[in-house]
Amino acid sequence: MAADPFDAGAGSILRQPKAVWATAGASVVAFMGIGLVDPILPSIAQGLSATPSQVSLLFTSYFLITAFAMLVTGFVSSRVGGRKTLLLGLAFVVVFAGLAGTSGSVGELVGFRAGWGLGNALFVSTALAVIVGAAAGGSAAAILLYESALGLGMACGPLLGALLGNASWRYPFFGTAFLMAVGFLCITLFLKEQPRPARKTSLLDPVRALGHGGLASAAVSAFFYNYTFFTVLAFTPFVLNMTPYKSGAVFFAWGVLLAVFSVIVAPRLQQRFGSLKVLGGSLVLLAADVVVLGYGDHTTAVVCTILSGAFIGVNNTVYTELALGVSDAPRPVASAGYNFVRWFAAAAAPYFAPEIEEWTDLHVPFVVAGGTAVAGALVVLLRRDALTHEAEELEPRHAAEDGVTVFAN
């Protein structure tokens, strides 16, 4: 029987050096930044006299910069080291999150959010490698700790946005800048420089890695899935049209399900049914959920929004493992190429969903999102041979080569 990773023994994720907890804590805040603006999107629109499609550009600019930053993060961290890359990313977030709170127009806010996205990409893309390098209990415990930080951040982001945003839409941005400044201080005090990889990563290595059919298939499937994911995250708050407190509570519950299903449920389902069956089934269920969300009454929309967190949590975990294990490319390079493709959908969905609503009606954006989830499942079905890989054959080499990695969730 496998050891319980939450047991307080030597292999537990609970018994970690201060450097690991400092990095994991800062990771929680970094992931909070993704959903932070969710409950306050209507308030921002009202405060800056902006339309939903204009305000949704907060996500578009953030993730468009994140996508391109995937080509840069490995290049930077393989040259200056993980610690300096983390601090550089944190510094960017502190500056641009603080500036976002001073914005006088939606254009300024979108621009500052783009700078925030660059900082977040630099930080989060390096955090797992740093945690793995410094953690006690092996890489499995470290990855679980990272996944837990992601889930906690995704859950708490909307809650913090609601609590601070109820007074003013500006306060969540100032709050994030403060928390990331604390993270910067903790990393400075507790984290020593990690060993650099033997080989420096070039800007084009992630693109070359996509020449592998399995990795390209995982990236394309994840691209379609991410469109669905970020339709829920960025467009649903306008549909629910709730106060920041109520919207924050909905997305907090959504984030809790995401965390539980990502860390606890998904590994058990994979062990019983296999990764590809779990992923395909979860994508189809997510498609059905978002279509019902679009056509249901307000209560149904709330329930389906929360429920989508379960399917998103499962998908995140399986896609991460596929991206890191399906090809023979180094994990940092494979992850960067995979994320370069999929984050374009995260940038596209927040922009196109409100535009589609303006062209048609409220239901169609969710029909489109359901269709993209099904498209992701079809890629998994049609490319299942390319996506099947004996990942354990790569473990000895991967264990020796990791120097920077993964914004895979």
Side-chain angles (χ1 to χ4, degrees):
M1 179 181 295
D4 183 354
F6 291 96
D7 190 339
S12 171
I13 69 171
L14 302 178
R15 295 175 62 88
Q16 299 296 339
K18 291 179 180 179
V20 172
W21 288 117
T23 307
S27 297
V28 171
V29 181
F31 286 118
M32 286 170 60
I34 296 177
L36 179 81
V37 299
D38 252 32
I40 57 172
L41 286 175
S43 299
I44 294 173
Q46 182 179 3
L48 296 178
S49 301
T51 66
S53 59
Q54 289 175 321
V55 173
S56 294
L57 290 174
L58 294 176
F59 285 99
T60 298
S61 62
Y62 183 90
F63 287 112
L64 190 61
I65 294 298
T66 296
F68 283 108
M70 288 300 113
L71 303 180
V72 177
T73 53
F75 177 88
V76 172
S77 59
S78 66
R79 285 163 174 77
V80 305
R83 181 176 181 272
K84 291 179 181 176
T85 304
L86 291 179
L87 292 174
L88 179 63
L90 288 169
F92 268 95
V93 175
V94 170
V95 171
F96 284 102
L99 288 173
T102 68
S103 300
S105 69
V106 70
E108 286 185 8
L109 185 55
V110 168
F112 292 142
R113 183 77 168 158
W116 183 347
L118 174 60
N120 220 47
L122 286 169
F123 176 82
V124 181
S125 64
T126 311
L128 178 57
V130 171
I131 290 174
V132 169
S139 62
I143 291 172
L144 185 58
L145 181 61
Y146 178 85
E147 293 284 350
S148 300
L150 183 148
L152 183 61
M154 294 294 281
C156 293
L159 192 62
L160 178 66
L163 292 174
L164 297 179
N166 193 61
S168 170
W169 64 263
R170 300 180 186 274
Y171 291 169
F173 298 110
F174 294 138
T176 299
F178 172 78
L179 290 174
M180 287 305 243
V182 174
F184 185 98
L185 180 62
C186 291
I187 296 293
T188 301
L189 292 176
F190 299 122
L191 180 65
K192 297 179 180 179
E193 185 57 83
Q194 303 295 297
R196 301 181 190 180
R199 177 181 176 273
K200 293 180 179 180
T201 302
S202 78
L203 292 174
L204 293 180
D205 280 350
V207 177
R208 295 190 186 104
L210 292 169
H212 185 279
L215 182 61
S217 300
V220 170
S221 179
F223 174 89
F224 288 119
Y225 155 66
N226 260 33
Y227 186 95
T228 308
F229 177 179
F230 284 93
T231 297
V232 173
L233 190 63
F235 183 62
T236 302
F238 292 106
V239 176
L240 298 180
N241 193 27
M242 304 167 77
T243 65
Y245 275 139
K246 291 182 179 179
S247 183
V250 168
F251 279 95
F252 174 73
W254 169 86
V256 168
L257 276 187
L258 187 154
V260 170
F261 275 76
S262 177
V263 176
I264 298 175
V265 178
R268 288 165 171 76
L269 291 176
Q270 288 175 271
Q271 186 175 20
R272 181 169 181 177
F273 299 107
S275 294
L276 297 187
K277 288 182 179 179
V278 170
L279 181 59
S282 180
L283 286 168
V284 171
L285 291 173
L286 177 62
D289 180 79
V290 297
V291 171
V292 174
L293 191 163
Y295 280 92
D297 58 20
H298 189 267
T299 300
T300 302
V302 169
V303 172
C304 288
T305 299
I306 295 172
L307 183 61
S308 70
F311 307 125
I312 289 169
V314 170
N315 294 338
N316 284 350
T317 294
V318 180
Y319 274 120
T320 297
E321 295 184 6
L322 284 178
L324 298 184
V326 75
S327 77
D328 58 359
R331 281 175 174 165
V333 174
S335 175
Y338 160 79
N339 282 294
F340 173 67
V341 173
R342 78 183 189 108
W343 286 120
F344 280 108
Y351 174 77
F352 283 112
E355 291 289 334
I356 291 171
E357 182 202 9
E358 292 178 10
W359 299 335
T360 55
D361 59 42
L362 183 64
H363 310 303
V364 176
F366 294 100
V367 174
V368 172
T372 55
V374 171
L378 286 175
V379 172
V380 172
L381 175 64
L382 297 175
R383 298 288 295 170
R384 58 188 179 278
D385 291 338
L387 289 167
T388 302
H389 191 87
E390 295 297 329
E392 59 268 19
E393 295 179 2
L394 301 178
E395 284 303 313
R397 179 178 59 75
H398 280 320
E401 76 190 2
D402 282 344
V404 293
T405 201
V406 297
F407 190 7
N409 277 297

